[in-house]
Amino acid sequence: MVSRIGLVTGSTSGIGLGIARVLATKLEALIISGFATADQVTQIKSELTSAKGCQIEYVNADLSRPTEIAKMFNKIHEIFPEGLDVLVNNAGVQHVCPTENFPNDKWDDMIAVNLSAPFHAIKSALPKMKEKGYGRIINIASAHGLVASANKAPYCATKHGIVGMTKSVALETAESGITCNAICPGFAYTPLVKKQVEAYADQKKLSFEEAKKMFVADKHPHKDFVTPEEIGEMIAYLCTPAARMITGATLSIDGGWSAW
Ligand code: NAD
C-alpha cells in the first residue's frame, strides 16, 4: 500500500499550510481545511494544484464541534469512498495567560480544538484505514507536549494529552498496517507565534525584530525557527513504506529545545 489520499486540518495557515505544500507534491489527493475566506481558499487551492497535479479539495468544519467533524468526514467519504490514507491532525489554538486568570471559555476551546478534535478525527478515519489495512496518522503536538512553559497550562495539557493519545492509538493499531505518531515542533514563525512575539516585545521593551530573535533563542539552542516545510518533510517521510516501523513515537523538531 502507498499513501494516496490525505487530510491536513488547519492547513489554511502556518504549519498546516507548509505541510500541505509538501504533501501536495507527494500524494494523489489532498483535503485542506481550516478557516479562510473564499478568495484565500481559491488562492491556496491553485498554488497547491499547480505543485504537481495533486487533486485538492477544501472541506472545512469548526473543529471545536464534534457534530461538524462528523459532517466533515461524511463529506470526505462522499468524495473518497475508500477513506483517508493519511490524517494529519494539525489545527490548534493558543492563549497565553497565568492559570489563575485563564478564561474558562479559552480552556474549553483549547481542549476542544487541540485535543478532542484529533480524537474525533482519528475515530472517524480508523474504520476505513482498518478495512484497507493501511494508514498514517500524524498528530502535531509540540515541544510543549514534552516540556512545559509558564502561562501555558491549558496548551501544555492538550499537547501532553495528544502525545498520550498517540501512543495508545499506536498500540491499538500496531498489527493493522496503521502507524500513529506525534511530531513535537519547537517554535515555527506562524500567526500563532507572531502574537506571542508581539507580547514579548511589549513586555521586554524591544523592537519587534530584536524580540523575534530573543524569543526563539530563549528556547531553541539552535537559535532559529523551525519552518513549516521542515515539519512537512518529516510527515512525507512517515508516509513512505520505509517508515512502517515508526509508530507511537514522539518526534522532536525543535532545534534542541527538549534536550536542555
Ligand atoms: P496558525 O494559527 O497559523 O494556524 C492554525 C490553523 O488551525 C488555521 O488553519 C486555523 O483556521 C485552524 N483552526 C483553528 N481553530 C480551528 C477550528 N475551531 N476549526 C477548524 N480549524 C481551526 O497556527 P500554527 O502555528 O500553524 O499551529 C498549527 C499547529 O501546530 C497547532 O496545533 C499548534 O499548537 C502546533 N504548534 C505550533 C507551533 C508554532 O511555533 N507555531 C509549535 C508547536 C506546535
Side-chain angles (χ1 to χ4, degrees):
M1 288 288 291
V2 288
S3 300
R4 291 174 49 238
I5 303 163
L7 163 67
V8 183
T9 67
S11 42
T12 52
S13 172
I15 291 176
L17 183 54
I19 296 168
R21 286 194 177 112
V22 175
L23 292 188
T25 69
K26 314 278 183 194
L27 302 182
E28 289 173 23
L30 182 66
I31 301 135
I32 55 168
S33 81
F35 297 128
T37 63
D39 281 354
Q40 285 167 332
V41 171
T42 308
Q43 196 258 318
I44 293 169
K45 278 178 87 170
S46 96
E47 180 200 342
L48 297 180
T49 307
S50 59
K52 210 168 181 173
C54 179
Q55 177 186 347
I56 308 292
E57 303 284 346
Y58 173 69
V59 184
N60 196 28
D62 178 348
L63 297 176
S64 65
R65 297 165 186 267
T67 50
E68 286 212 20
I69 299 173
K71 281 188 206 152
M72 179 171 88
F73 271 87
N74 287 342
K75 177 88 184 152
I76 290 170
H77 292 153
E78 263 171 39
I79 309 172
F80 301 106
E82 64 271 59
L84 298 174
D85 302 312
V86 179
L87 166 63
V88 183
N89 284 309
N90 164 76
V93 288
Q94 171 65 289
H95 185 75
V96 181
C97 182
T99 300
E100 67 271 29
N101 299 328
F102 209 94
N104 289 344
D105 61 332
K106 296 253 183 236
W107 160 268
D108 290 341
D109 192 48
M110 210 175 285
I111 296 289
V113 178
N114 295 10
L115 189 58
S116 297
F119 167 76
H120 292 296
I122 291 170
K123 202 175 156 186
S124 302
L126 268 181
K128 284 185 187 273
M129 286 182 173
K130 283 194 169 165
E131 235 170 70
K132 62 181 142 184
Y134 185 81
R136 295 286 187 261
I137 299 169
I138 296 110
N139 297 318
I140 303 303
S142 168
H144 284 116
L146 304 172
V147 297
S149 296
N151 303 328
K152 294 186 176 180
Y155 188 76
C156 289
T158 63
K159 296 304 184 178
H160 278 68
I162 203 168
V163 164
M165 182 161 65
T166 301
K167 292 178 185 177
S168 193
V169 172
L171 293 178
E172 286 177 33
T173 56
E175 292 178 79
S176 58
I178 299 166
T179 66
C180 182
N181 291 292
I183 294 187
C184 296
F187 286 125
Y189 188 67
T190 67
L192 181 145
V193 161
K194 184 167 178 269
K195 274 197 246 161
Q196 295 176 58
V197 174
E198 283 164 354
Y200 187 83
D202 247 24
Q203 185 202 332
K204 303 267 179 197
K205 310 269 176 270
L206 295 168
S207 73
F208 182 77
E209 281 313 313
E210 283 171 319
K212 197 173 160 190
K213 274 195 200 136
M214 283 180 62
F215 180 83
V216 70
D218 189 38
K219 295 290 188 188
H220 287 194
H222 188 291
K223 305 212 182 316
D224 199 3
F225 287 95
V226 177
T227 70
E229 286 73 16
E230 284 163 349
I231 298 164
E233 291 294 346
M234 168 77 88
I235 292 174
Y237 174 68
L238 291 174
C239 292
T240 65
R244 142 189 108 89
M245 291 298 282
I246 303 175
T247 194
T250 44
L251 303 161
S252 290
I253 314 180
D254 65 4
W257 178 351
S258 53
W260 279 126

